[in-house]
Amino acid sequence: MNQKIESQPDQNRAIPQEAFDWYDEYAHGLIDRREFLARLSSLAVLGFSATALSSALIPNYALAEQVSFNDPSIKATYETFSSPKGHGECQGYLVVPRELEGPAPVVLVVHENRGLNPYIKDVARRLAAKGFIAFAPDALYPLGGYPGNDDEGRAMQKSMSKQKLEEDFIAAALFLRSHEKSNGKLGAVGFCYGGYIVNMLAATIPDTLDAGVPFYGTPAAEELRKNVKGPLLIQFAENDKRVNATWPDYEAELKKIEAEYTAYVYPGVNHGFHNDSTGRYSESEATLAWERTLAFFSKHLV
């Protein structure tokens, strides 16, 4: 039940902080693409081209493959599951260690606000390569699935019922926990919107979720937070003003109800620093955060 502020020295980053902030606004629907590019153009006087900056900030998913889908140690399939309170039938990307000697812990992997993109699928493979059964639902499956384009994916997800989407992820968590090879221990990790979903799961199914790791996610609705038990490993980016502004009230509630949590703030990095397909990626902090995530899951799920 403590908060730890990292004190590692900041790294030199060529992209101006304003560009990261504008990308965050764009990625979360606060400004449109035209406004985003117009703002980037204003940095030309500093020697930055809008085209170069946008190319660095907008994900290049060809870079997001730390574990190949052909890796011989894992087996990946697409599985459907029932969500009677949500969208009825949903689908996700299931990755299982190929050589399982017995039951294994299961981890739900929750994408950002644009559907199941290649980066999130790679995160699921990374977990399976470490011995976990990982399942990454695609919230956009009822609309045809992730379209291969983030702008279109964001628009699709924004058009969907928030309540039904949450029910879909609750259903996915229960589906995964009941997997025939599950040891009965359920973890969840999510990024941005997915971080919110992990916080929501911790508040709605606290007796089912055995370990949650929200990366730069906002908390569950205020009236639900009193239900959180944890344990939670909460990961923040120092420069993420939008999400970080929600933390003081959330932390106060977690302390009040004596929930089990640890929070880390990674210095000098931006929202999305774990995503290795964009210029927001920070290798050292992402590696440390992931090492802590794996250790946390090993402690509470194995």
Side-chain angles (χ1 to χ4, degrees):
M1 292 174 47
N2 61 336
Q3 180 179 12
K4 300 181 180 179
I5 307 295
E6 296 300 299
S7 59
Q8 299 172 9
D10 191 11
Q11 297 177 358
N12 239 345
R13 291 177 173 83
I15 299 174
Q17 184 59 43
E18 300 99 300
F20 287 114
D21 295 341
W22 296 334
Y23 178 77
D24 188 67
E25 291 183 50
Y26 161 60
H28 294 91
L30 301 178
I31 60 175
D32 61 20
R33 187 182 183 90
R34 177 176 295 182
E35 175 65 18
F36 171 58
L37 294 177
R39 291 186 185 184
L40 291 184
S41 295
S42 71
L43 298 174
V45 294
L46 301 177
F48 295 96
S49 102
T51 300
L53 286 173
S54 63
S55 295
L57 292 167
I58 294 172
N60 175 4
Y61 289 126
L63 302 175
E65 192 178 72
Q66 293 189 23
V67 178
S68 170
F69 66 90
N70 284 322
D71 190 299
S73 70
I74 61 174
K75 179 181 179 181
T77 58
Y78 290 94
E79 305 292 337
T80 59
F81 62 95
S82 177
S83 178
K85 295 182 181 179
H87 288 93
E89 184 178 79
C90 301
Q91 188 184 81
Y93 182 67
L94 179 70
V95 195
V96 179
R98 194 172 289 276
E99 301 295 334
L100 277 180
E101 297 181 357
V106 297
V107 178
L108 190 73
V109 182
V110 190
H111 60 66
E112 311 100 325
N113 65 340
R114 48 191 175 270
L116 181 58
N117 58 61
Y119 155 64
I120 296 297
K121 292 168 74 173
D122 190 60
V123 170
R125 293 195 296 269
R126 296 175 206 176
L127 284 162
K130 294 297 184 179
F132 299 93
I133 296 172
F135 186 57
D138 186 356
L140 303 184
Y141 176 74
L143 301 182
Y146 174 69
N149 174 284
D150 279 8
D151 281 345
E152 187 178 346
R154 272 190 291 270
M156 291 168 66
Q157 192 162 324
K158 188 176 181 180
S159 74
M160 302 175 78
S161 162
K162 177 182 177 181
Q163 181 178 358
K164 286 188 175 184
L165 285 173
E166 292 178 4
E167 291 292 348
D168 290 342
F169 283 107
I170 292 171
L174 299 177
F175 165 79
L176 177 59
R177 189 170 184 266
S178 66
H179 188 278
E180 62 180 3
K181 295 182 179 179
S182 166
N183 70 354
K185 295 286 188 177
L186 172 67
V189 60
F191 306 86
C192 186
Y193 170 79
Y196 160 74
I197 290 295
V198 174
N199 283 322
M200 182 275 295
L201 293 173
T204 53
I205 53 171
D207 294 322
T208 301
L209 185 68
D210 297 289
V213 184
F215 274 76
Y216 27 84
T218 54
E222 189 172 353
E223 64 272 14
L224 296 176
R225 298 175 199 174
K226 64 181 181 296
N227 300 322
V228 176
K229 294 180 180 179
L232 292 174
L233 175 63
I234 306 173
Q235 317 261 34
F236 293 104
E238 183 183 37
N239 295 341
D240 188 1
K241 296 177 182 178
R242 179 182 56 85
V243 170
N244 294 352
T246 68
W247 175 234
D249 288 345
Y250 188 26
E251 183 182 32
E253 183 68 21
L254 293 177
K255 287 181 176 179
K256 179 180 177 181
I257 61 178
E258 298 184 345
E260 184 181 351
Y261 77 94
T262 299
Y264 290 102
V265 179
Y266 296 86
V269 297
N270 289 278
H271 184 97
F273 73 88
H274 184 266
N275 188 333
D276 54 349
S277 69
T278 83
R280 297 175 297 165
Y281 176 60
S282 182
E283 184 176 4
S284 59
E285 287 82 1
T287 299
L288 177 58
W290 192 243
E291 289 173 350
R292 287 170 169 163
T293 298
L294 293 174
F296 182 74
F297 284 149
S298 294
K299 176 181 178 180
H300 294 288
L301 303 180
V302 175

